[in-house]
Amino acid sequence: MTQYPLTLKFAMFTAAPKVTVTDAAGKELFTAAKSLLSQKEEFTFTAEGKTLYQVISQESRISEIPSNWDVLNGAGEHLATISDDFTGLDL
């Protein structure tokens, strides 16, 4: 059972942005990291060495055009799409 409050720890000296979330007992709940070697913006959420979710931009990093975001589960199956203006969630 998760004990509140949750603590977010940001890695200071890493190439890619990374945050670790722990509960009040110090148990690590999950880690979120941004992938730097992808042509698209990509965030991966992991716990106990397993991928929980991935959030991936539909546009390349090079374009400044706002894009929709795909949410995938650990098996790579599409769960939802977040609209580029954040007004809707398409399931």
Side-chain angles (χ1 to χ4, degrees):
M1 177 175 247
T2 303
Q3 297 180 15
Y4 295 92
L6 302 180
T7 303
L8 286 81
K9 296 179 185 176
F10 295 88
M12 296 282 295
F13 302 105
T14 61
K18 182 178 178 181
V19 62
T20 302
V21 179
T22 56
D23 68 5
K27 178 184 173 192
E28 185 176 305
L29 301 176
F30 67 89
T31 300
K34 181 178 179 181
S35 175
L36 291 180
L37 300 176
S38 174
Q39 288 194 354
K40 296 182 177 189
E41 295 286 343
E42 183 176 322
F43 299 90
T44 303
F45 298 84
T46 58
E48 299 176 357
K50 296 180 183 177
T51 300
L52 300 175
Y53 298 101
Q54 286 184 305
V55 180
I56 303 172
S57 170
Q58 292 179 354
E59 294 290 328
S60 72
R61 288 183 184 206
I62 298 170
S63 74
E64 293 295 325
I65 300 169
S67 70
N68 293 339
W69 295 78
D70 290 324
V71 180
L72 311 174
N73 65 11
E77 298 168 333
H78 185 265
L79 297 176
T81 299
I82 302 170
S83 176
D84 64 346
D85 58 5
F86 301 103
T87 58
L89 181 66
D90 299 325
L91 301 175

XYZ file of all heavy atoms in Angstrom:
700
model
N 0.841 -1.179 0.000
C 0.000 0.000 0.000
C 0.885 1.241 0.000
O 1.869 1.306 0.716
C -0.922 -0.011 1.209
C -1.773 1.221 1.306
S -2.953 1.123 2.639
C -4.419 1.070 1.678
N 0.522 2.201 -0.797
C 1.283 3.439 -0.907
C 1.026 4.321 0.298
O -0.112 4.501 0.715
C 0.878 4.197 -2.188
O 1.092 3.350 -3.305
C 1.682 5.452 -2.353
N 2.120 4.856 0.851
C 2.012 5.772 1.987
C 2.311 7.186 1.499
O 3.302 7.422 0.819
C 3.002 5.368 3.079
C 2.723 3.999 3.651
C 3.727 3.631 4.728
O 4.455 4.468 5.234
N 3.755 2.357 5.071
N 1.430 8.110 1.830
C 1.564 9.492 1.382
C 2.235 10.314 2.459
O 2.168 9.979 3.626
C 0.188 10.058 1.035
C -0.417 9.352 -0.142
C -1.254 8.251 0.034
C -0.125 9.752 -1.423
C -1.801 7.583 -1.053
C -0.666 9.086 -2.523
C -1.500 8.009 -2.321
O -2.033 7.351 -3.387
N 2.942 11.387 2.146
C 3.064 12.060 0.859
C 4.090 11.375 -0.045
O 4.947 10.629 0.417
C 3.528 13.463 1.226
C 4.338 13.261 2.462
C 3.643 12.133 3.205
N 3.974 11.658 -1.338
C 4.920 11.151 -2.320
C 6.057 12.158 -2.487
O 5.849 13.359 -2.360
C 4.242 10.921 -3.667
C 3.054 9.958 -3.664
C 2.483 9.828 -5.063
C 3.457 8.597 -3.127
N 7.237 11.650 -2.767
C 8.408 12.499 -2.965
C 8.924 12.318 -4.381
O 9.047 11.191 -4.855
C 9.522 12.123 -1.965
O 9.008 12.243 -0.637
C 10.722 13.021 -2.115
N 9.212 13.408 -5.051
C 9.783 13.374 -6.385
C 11.247 13.762 -6.294
O 11.579 14.797 -5.718
C 9.058 14.346 -7.320
C 7.678 13.911 -7.782
C 6.632 14.195 -6.735
C 7.345 14.555 -9.074
N 12.119 12.919 -6.837
C 13.557 13.190 -6.844
C 14.000 13.347 -8.284
O 13.827 12.447 -9.097
C 14.323 12.043 -6.182
C 13.991 11.869 -4.717
C 14.752 10.707 -4.133
C 14.319 10.479 -2.694
N 14.965 9.307 -2.118
N 14.579 14.497 -8.585
C 15.040 14.779 -9.935
C 16.534 14.526 -10.028
O 17.302 15.013 -9.189
C 14.734 16.234 -10.306
C 13.262 16.515 -10.369
C 12.565 16.906 -9.233
C 12.570 16.369 -11.553
C 11.210 17.157 -9.284
C 11.208 16.620 -11.620
C 10.535 17.014 -10.484
N 16.947 13.764 -11.032
C 18.365 13.483 -11.242
C 19.050 14.760 -11.714
O 18.574 15.414 -12.641
C 18.538 12.368 -12.255
N 20.161 15.102 -11.097
C 20.847 16.353 -11.420
C 21.857 16.195 -12.549
O 21.964 17.045 -13.405
C 21.565 16.884 -10.175
C 20.624 17.251 -9.049
S 19.816 18.812 -9.310
C 21.177 19.926 -9.243
N 22.615 15.126 -12.543
C 23.727 14.986 -13.478
C 23.515 13.812 -14.425
O 24.270 12.858 -14.445
C 25.037 14.816 -12.701
C 25.305 15.962 -11.777
C 25.128 15.828 -10.414
C 25.696 17.194 -12.279
C 25.365 16.887 -9.559
C 25.929 18.260 -11.432
C 25.768 18.113 -10.073
N 22.460 13.878 -15.216
C 22.180 12.840 -16.208
C 22.007 13.494 -17.576
O 21.678 14.671 -17.673
C 20.900 12.050 -15.873
O 19.801 12.957 -15.871
C 20.998 11.353 -14.537
N 22.232 12.712 -18.603
C 22.064 13.233 -19.958
C 20.594 13.449 -20.287
O 20.234 14.388 -20.981
C 22.693 12.271 -20.963
N 19.730 12.572 -19.789
C 18.296 12.670 -20.056
C 17.556 13.022 -18.768
O 17.906 12.528 -17.700
C 17.782 11.336 -20.589
N 16.531 13.874 -18.852
C 15.736 14.183 -17.663
C 15.105 12.917 -17.081
O 14.610 12.069 -17.804
C 14.655 15.122 -18.195
C 15.220 15.696 -19.452
C 16.089 14.626 -20.026
N 15.169 12.810 -15.748
C 14.654 11.620 -15.067
C 14.121 12.022 -13.694
O 14.725 12.836 -13.001
C 15.783 10.602 -14.920
C 15.386 9.307 -14.266
C 16.578 8.365 -14.219
C 16.238 7.080 -13.518
N 17.394 6.177 -13.457
N 12.990 11.432 -13.317
C 12.415 11.680 -11.995
C 12.034 10.336 -11.375
O 11.550 9.443 -12.069
C 11.199 12.641 -12.053
C 10.083 12.068 -12.876
C 10.713 13.000 -10.675
N 12.295 10.204 -10.079
C 11.937 9.002 -9.332
C 10.917 9.385 -8.272
O 11.108 10.367 -7.557
C 13.178 8.378 -8.664
O 14.138 8.078 -9.674
C 12.827 7.118 -7.903
N 9.833 8.613 -8.175
C 8.766 8.886 -7.218
C 8.814 7.829 -6.131
O 8.792 6.634 -6.405
C 7.387 8.886 -7.906
C 6.278 9.154 -6.906
C 7.352 9.904 -9.034
N 8.902 8.282 -4.858
C 8.921 7.378 -3.709
C 7.795 7.763 -2.752
O 7.353 8.908 -2.721
C 10.260 7.438 -2.952
O 10.530 8.783 -2.568
C 11.413 6.955 -3.822
N 7.351 6.782 -1.947
C 6.314 7.083 -0.963
C 6.959 7.477 0.359
O 8.180 7.582 0.474
C 5.328 5.926 -0.810
C 5.921 4.690 -0.181
O 7.091 4.712 0.254
O 5.205 3.677 -0.111
N 6.139 7.718 1.385
C 6.629 8.181 2.680
C 7.555 7.180 3.356
O 8.418 7.553 4.144
C 5.448 8.507 3.595
N 7.424 5.883 3.036
C 8.279 4.850 3.624
C 9.597 4.693 2.859
O 10.436 3.890 3.231
C 7.541 3.517 3.644
N 9.769 5.447 1.769
C 10.985 5.361 0.974
C 10.936 4.316 -0.118
O 11.924 4.083 -0.808
N 9.778 3.686 -0.311
C 9.632 2.681 -1.364
C 9.507 3.369 -2.720
O 8.687 4.264 -2.900
C 8.386 1.835 -1.110
C 8.126 0.800 -2.185
C 6.830 0.054 -1.931
C 6.530 -0.851 -3.107
N 5.177 -1.366 -3.053
N 10.330 2.930 -3.686
C 10.271 3.497 -5.028
C 9.030 2.983 -5.738
O 8.826 1.787 -5.880
C 11.513 3.123 -5.825
C 11.576 3.773 -7.186
C 12.861 3.463 -7.925
O 13.936 3.710 -7.368
O 12.758 2.971 -9.060
N 8.185 3.916 -6.197
C 6.949 3.553 -6.876
C 7.158 3.421 -8.374
O 6.724 2.446 -8.979
C 5.862 4.573 -6.586
C 5.505 4.755 -5.110
C 4.480 5.856 -4.947
C 5.020 3.453 -4.517
N 7.794 4.426 -8.986
C 8.105 4.361 -10.407
C 9.128 5.425 -10.761
O 9.398 6.335 -9.984
C 6.858 4.480 -11.286
C 6.182 5.823 -11.241
C 6.532 6.840 -12.111
C 5.162 6.060 -10.338
C 5.906 8.066 -12.070
C 4.510 7.278 -10.293
C 4.892 8.284 -11.166
N 9.685 5.279 -11.965
C 10.643 6.230 -12.511
C 10.138 6.679 -13.873
O 9.614 5.874 -14.639
C 12.028 5.571 -12.669
O 12.467 5.129 -11.393
C 13.046 6.536 -13.228
N 10.280 7.951 -14.162
C 9.914 8.490 -15.463
C 11.162 9.099 -16.092
O 11.890 9.843 -15.435
C 8.830 9.545 -15.325
N 11.426 8.756 -17.359
C 12.612 9.264 -18.041
C 12.267 9.656 -19.465
O 11.411 9.045 -20.103
C 13.702 8.203 -18.049
N 12.960 10.674 -19.945
C 12.785 11.136 -21.316
C 13.880 10.522 -22.175
O 15.053 10.536 -21.805
C 12.872 12.663 -21.370
C 12.677 13.243 -22.728
C 12.730 14.761 -22.664
C 12.552 15.356 -24.042
N 12.630 16.820 -23.998
N 13.493 9.988 -23.319
C 14.458 9.376 -24.232
C 15.092 10.452 -25.100
O 14.400 11.265 -25.699
C 13.755 8.350 -25.115
O 14.658 7.838 -26.061
N 16.428 10.453 -25.174
C 17.121 11.436 -25.992
C 17.481 10.905 -27.373
O 17.765 11.664 -28.274
C 18.403 11.896 -25.292
C 18.204 12.728 -24.038
C 19.546 13.125 -23.456
C 17.395 13.971 -24.335
N 17.496 9.609 -27.556
C 17.945 9.016 -28.811
C 16.806 8.683 -29.758
O 16.968 7.896 -30.677
C 18.776 7.762 -28.522
C 20.023 8.016 -27.677
C 20.716 6.706 -27.368
C 20.967 8.975 -28.376
N 15.680 9.285 -29.557
C 14.512 9.047 -30.405
C 14.252 10.289 -31.243
O 14.556 11.403 -30.824
C 13.300 8.751 -29.526
O 12.141 8.663 -30.297
N 13.707 10.115 -32.442
C 13.378 11.271 -33.274
C 12.090 11.944 -32.817
O 11.794 13.046 -33.230
C 13.253 10.855 -34.730
C 14.577 10.528 -35.352
C 14.472 10.450 -36.861
O 13.398 10.539 -37.440
N 15.604 10.287 -37.505
N 11.339 11.267 -31.961
C 10.107 11.837 -31.418
C 10.281 12.030 -29.918
O 11.096 11.372 -29.292
C 8.928 10.910 -31.693
C 8.633 10.733 -33.156
C 7.433 9.857 -33.361
C 7.110 9.754 -34.835
N 5.847 9.086 -35.065
N 9.515 12.953 -29.353
C 9.515 13.106 -27.900
C 8.954 11.829 -27.301
O 7.889 11.360 -27.721
C 8.660 14.302 -27.483
C 9.181 15.627 -27.947
C 10.395 16.109 -27.185
O 10.666 15.595 -26.075
O 11.083 16.997 -27.697
N 9.649 11.252 -26.336
C 9.223 9.970 -25.778
C 9.534 9.927 -24.281
O 10.652 10.209 -23.864
C 9.966 8.845 -26.493
C 9.573 7.471 -26.070
C 10.279 6.409 -26.898
O 10.463 6.602 -28.112
O 10.637 5.384 -26.301
N 8.526 9.582 -23.488
C 8.674 9.448 -22.046
C 8.305 8.025 -21.653
O 7.279 7.500 -22.088
C 7.753 10.434 -21.308
C 8.057 11.864 -21.638
C 7.427 12.491 -22.697
C 8.981 12.564 -20.899
C 7.706 13.804 -23.017
C 9.272 13.890 -21.204
C 8.630 14.505 -22.273
N 9.139 7.404 -20.819
C 8.905 6.028 -20.399
C 8.760 5.992 -18.887
O 9.579 6.561 -18.166
C 10.075 5.125 -20.839
O 10.217 5.233 -22.259
C 9.815 3.683 -20.478
N 7.720 5.305 -18.407
C 7.460 5.142 -16.983
C 7.716 3.680 -16.624
O 7.092 2.789 -17.199
C 6.010 5.525 -16.658
C 5.711 6.964 -16.956
C 5.363 7.370 -18.240
C 5.786 7.918 -15.965
C 5.099 8.695 -18.532
C 5.522 9.249 -16.239
C 5.178 9.638 -17.522
N 8.641 3.437 -15.685
C 9.012 2.071 -15.320
C 8.883 1.854 -13.814
O 9.000 2.793 -13.023
C 10.459 1.742 -15.736
O 11.345 2.675 -15.111
C 10.631 1.820 -17.231
N 8.665 0.595 -13.434
C 8.644 0.190 -12.027
C 9.178 -1.230 -11.958
O 8.774 -2.089 -12.752
C 7.235 0.265 -11.454
N 10.081 -1.456 -11.039
C 10.680 -2.780 -10.831
C 11.223 -3.360 -12.124
O 11.088 -4.542 -12.415
C 9.669 -3.725 -10.184
C 9.205 -3.256 -8.822
C 8.135 -4.135 -8.212
O 7.691 -5.101 -8.865
O 7.736 -3.842 -7.079
N 11.831 -2.520 -12.958
C 12.453 -2.967 -14.192
C 11.504 -3.234 -15.345
O 11.924 -3.650 -16.413
N 10.223 -2.990 -15.156
C 9.231 -3.237 -16.207
C 8.632 -1.911 -16.679
O 8.347 -1.028 -15.872
C 8.104 -4.128 -15.686
C 8.561 -5.511 -15.299
C 7.396 -6.328 -14.793
C 7.876 -7.705 -14.342
N 6.798 -8.495 -13.775
N 8.425 -1.816 -17.984
C 7.796 -0.617 -18.544
C 6.307 -0.636 -18.241
O 5.618 -1.597 -18.555
C 8.022 -0.541 -20.065
O 9.422 -0.492 -20.315
C 7.346 0.681 -20.662
N 5.824 0.436 -17.613
C 4.400 0.559 -17.311
C 3.672 1.251 -18.450
O 2.643 0.782 -18.922
C 4.191 1.352 -16.025
C 4.805 0.783 -14.754
C 4.618 1.755 -13.612
C 4.189 -0.562 -14.436
N 4.202 2.410 -18.857
C 3.575 3.225 -19.895
C 4.645 3.928 -20.708
O 5.743 4.176 -20.226
C 2.668 4.315 -19.276
C 1.531 3.777 -18.477
C 1.590 3.735 -17.100
C 0.388 3.309 -19.104
C 0.549 3.227 -16.355
C -0.667 2.800 -18.368
C -0.576 2.770 -16.995
O -1.612 2.264 -16.264
N 4.283 4.287 -21.930
C 5.085 5.158 -22.768
C 4.159 6.227 -23.317
O 3.011 5.942 -23.670
C 5.716 4.414 -23.939
C 6.865 3.523 -23.553
C 7.495 2.914 -24.787
O 6.812 2.298 -25.578
N 8.784 3.105 -24.928
N 4.660 7.457 -23.378
C 3.929 8.566 -23.975
C 4.816 9.090 -25.096
O 5.945 9.500 -24.858
C 3.621 9.665 -22.938
C 2.850 10.804 -23.576
C 2.852 9.090 -21.754
N 4.301 9.043 -26.333
C 5.115 9.357 -27.503
C 4.410 10.400 -28.359
O 3.226 10.273 -28.677
C 5.374 8.089 -28.341
C 6.054 7.018 -27.485
C 6.211 8.414 -29.575
C 6.179 5.677 -28.157
N 5.173 11.422 -28.768
C 4.657 12.450 -29.666
C 4.459 11.863 -31.055
O 5.232 11.023 -31.502
C 5.650 13.612 -29.734
O 5.298 14.503 -30.752
N 3.435 12.334 -31.760
C 3.195 11.867 -33.127
C 4.030 12.638 -34.151
O 4.142 12.226 -35.289
C 1.707 11.971 -33.469
C 0.859 11.014 -32.688
C -0.618 11.137 -33.018
O -1.034 12.021 -33.759
N -1.420 10.257 -32.453
N 4.630 13.751 -33.773
C 5.477 14.551 -34.661
C 6.938 14.389 -34.265
O 7.256 14.016 -33.148
C 5.099 16.039 -34.573
C 3.723 16.350 -35.084
C 3.597 16.198 -36.578
O 4.583 16.431 -37.305
O 2.500 15.837 -37.034
N 7.839 14.717 -35.192
C 9.264 14.632 -34.893
C 9.679 15.791 -33.989
O 8.974 16.800 -33.893
C 10.096 14.644 -36.169
O 10.084 15.933 -36.737
N 10.825 15.666 -33.351
C 11.334 16.725 -32.486
C 11.697 17.975 -33.257
O 11.699 19.062 -32.723
C 12.609 16.248 -31.771
C 12.383 15.257 -30.717
C 13.691 14.942 -30.070
N 13.487 13.887 -29.102
C 14.240 13.695 -28.058
N 15.264 14.449 -27.854
N 13.974 12.738 -27.217
N 12.051 17.798 -34.518
C 12.547 18.914 -35.312
C 11.448 19.928 -35.594
O 11.677 21.127 -35.564
C 13.174 18.403 -36.626
C 14.362 17.510 -36.284
C 13.574 19.544 -37.532
C 14.924 16.745 -37.441
N 10.236 19.463 -35.859
C 9.143 20.389 -36.159
C 8.647 21.043 -34.875
O 8.634 20.449 -33.813
C 7.991 19.661 -36.853
O 7.294 18.869 -35.929
N 8.268 22.286 -35.016
C 7.727 23.025 -33.873
C 6.202 22.996 -33.883
O 5.547 23.745 -33.189
C 8.228 24.477 -33.901
C 9.719 24.605 -33.677
C 10.134 24.151 -32.282
O 9.372 24.361 -31.322
O 11.227 23.574 -32.169
N 5.648 22.116 -34.711
C 4.202 22.009 -34.833
C 3.663 21.219 -33.639
O 4.169 20.143 -33.331
C 3.829 21.293 -36.147
C 4.368 22.071 -37.338
C 2.320 21.098 -36.247
C 4.288 21.328 -38.643
N 2.651 21.734 -32.932
C 2.072 20.956 -31.833
C 1.551 19.617 -32.350
O 1.059 19.527 -33.469
C 0.917 21.832 -31.344
C 1.202 23.193 -31.848
C 1.991 23.018 -33.117
N 1.695 18.596 -31.541
C 1.261 17.274 -31.997
C 0.424 16.584 -30.935
O 0.429 16.961 -29.770
C 2.476 16.413 -32.330
O 3.168 16.073 -31.156
N -0.269 15.564 -31.372
C -0.978 14.695 -30.445
C 0.032 13.748 -29.807
O 1.120 13.534 -30.332
C -2.049 13.902 -31.176
C -3.155 14.783 -31.697
O -3.358 15.893 -31.233
N -3.876 14.296 -32.678
N -0.344 13.157 -28.685
C 0.522 12.236 -27.962
C -0.180 10.894 -27.825
O -1.356 10.837 -27.464
C 0.827 12.786 -26.565
C 1.628 14.048 -26.608
C 1.170 15.300 -26.878
C 3.017 14.172 -26.398
N 2.192 16.195 -26.829
C 3.343 15.536 -26.532
C 4.033 13.268 -26.091
C 4.635 16.013 -26.386
C 5.319 13.747 -25.935
C 5.604 15.095 -26.082
N 0.528 9.809 -28.130
C -0.005 8.461 -27.966
C 0.423 7.913 -26.612
O 1.578 8.076 -26.201
C 0.518 7.535 -29.064
C -0.058 7.877 -30.418
O -1.234 8.262 -30.481
O 0.672 7.744 -31.416
N -0.507 7.268 -25.919
C -0.219 6.615 -24.643
C -0.277 5.108 -24.890
O -1.295 4.589 -25.361
C -1.239 7.024 -23.555
C -0.919 6.336 -22.239
C -1.274 8.533 -23.390
N 0.836 4.422 -24.585
C 0.943 2.986 -24.798
C 1.156 2.285 -23.469
O 1.779 2.837 -22.558
C 2.128 2.671 -25.722
C 2.247 3.470 -27.014
C 3.541 3.135 -27.736
C 1.068 3.194 -27.909
N 0.677 1.044 -23.361
C 0.947 0.272 -22.142
C 2.313 -0.396 -22.283
O 3.012 -0.213 -23.280
C -0.167 -0.732 -21.856
C -0.281 -1.822 -22.906
O 0.571 -1.989 -23.763
N -1.368 -2.576 -22.828
N 2.709 -1.174 -21.291
C 4.012 -1.823 -21.284
C 4.232 -2.790 -22.429
O 5.369 -3.037 -22.834
N 3.161 -3.324 -22.997
C 3.267 -4.257 -24.126
C 3.278 -3.529 -25.463
O 3.350 -4.154 -26.508
C 2.108 -5.250 -24.089
N 3.198 -2.189 -25.431
C 3.207 -1.408 -26.662
C 1.845 -1.236 -27.297
O 1.735 -0.728 -28.404
N 0.792 -1.637 -26.603
C -0.561 -1.498 -27.129
C -1.079 -0.076 -26.882
O -0.895 0.482 -25.803
C -1.497 -2.507 -26.460
C -1.108 -3.944 -26.711
C -1.864 -4.917 -25.822
O -2.289 -4.526 -24.719
O -2.015 -6.070 -26.246
N -1.737 0.481 -27.888
C -2.265 1.838 -27.805
C -3.415 1.894 -26.798
O -4.370 1.134 -26.901
C -2.742 2.277 -29.196
C -3.190 3.688 -29.241
N -4.502 4.045 -29.093
C -2.513 4.835 -29.409
C -4.612 5.354 -29.169
N -3.410 5.860 -29.376
N -3.320 2.813 -25.840
C -4.380 2.999 -24.848
C -5.234 4.224 -25.150
O -6.446 4.194 -25.000
C -3.791 3.135 -23.444
C -3.025 1.945 -22.895
C -2.438 2.285 -21.538
C -3.927 0.728 -22.789
N -4.569 5.319 -25.549
C -5.297 6.570 -25.770
C -4.432 7.534 -26.562
O -3.232 7.328 -26.708
C -5.678 7.203 -24.438
N -5.062 8.601 -27.045
C -4.363 9.702 -27.696
C -4.764 10.985 -26.982
O -5.948 11.236 -26.775
C -4.731 9.799 -29.185
O -4.334 8.587 -29.828
C -4.025 10.958 -29.844
N -3.763 11.783 -26.616
C -4.007 13.075 -25.976
C -3.933 14.130 -27.070
O -2.943 14.228 -27.782
C -2.974 13.362 -24.869
C -3.014 12.261 -23.815
C -3.238 14.729 -24.246
C -1.894 12.326 -22.817
N -4.984 14.927 -27.194
C -5.061 15.962 -28.227
C -3.983 17.014 -28.023
O -3.593 17.313 -26.891
C -6.444 16.609 -28.169
O -6.525 17.673 -29.076
N -3.498 17.606 -29.125
C -2.425 18.594 -29.049
C -2.804 19.834 -28.257
O -1.945 20.526 -27.725
C -1.943 18.978 -30.438
C -3.007 19.664 -31.271
O -4.191 19.604 -30.887
O -2.659 20.241 -32.298
N -4.071 20.144 -28.147
C -4.479 21.290 -27.345
C -4.968 20.868 -25.954
O -5.478 21.687 -25.200
C -5.546 22.109 -28.057
C -6.785 21.302 -28.397
O -6.872 20.119 -27.994
O -7.669 21.841 -29.073
N -4.791 19.592 -25.637
C -5.119 19.015 -24.322
C -6.592 19.175 -23.943
O -6.944 19.203 -22.786
C -4.220 19.575 -23.223
C -2.774 19.318 -23.473
C -1.940 20.312 -23.933
C -2.232 18.058 -23.275
C -0.606 20.065 -24.181
C -0.901 17.794 -23.513
C -0.089 18.812 -23.978
N -7.463 19.317 -24.974
C -8.890 19.465 -24.686
C -9.612 18.134 -24.646
O -10.740 18.069 -24.191
C -9.583 20.349 -25.731
O -9.398 19.761 -27.012
C -9.030 21.751 -25.714
N -8.970 17.079 -25.135
C -9.671 15.817 -25.166
C -8.741 14.626 -25.068
O -7.560 14.718 -25.355
N -9.300 13.527 -24.655
C -8.580 12.271 -24.573
C -9.369 11.263 -25.392
O -10.497 10.935 -25.063
C -8.483 11.820 -23.118
C -7.745 10.531 -22.838
C -6.270 10.686 -23.180
C -7.882 10.151 -21.377
N -8.784 10.824 -26.497
C -9.441 9.865 -27.382
C -9.035 8.463 -26.968
O -7.871 8.119 -27.017
C -9.047 10.102 -28.835
C -9.451 11.485 -29.319
O -10.513 11.954 -28.866
O -8.710 12.062 -30.121
N -10.005 7.656 -26.559
C -9.721 6.277 -26.147
C -10.001 5.320 -27.267
O -10.753 5.519 -28.136
C -10.557 5.921 -24.916
C -10.316 6.815 -23.703
C -11.293 6.446 -22.602
C -8.896 6.680 -23.215
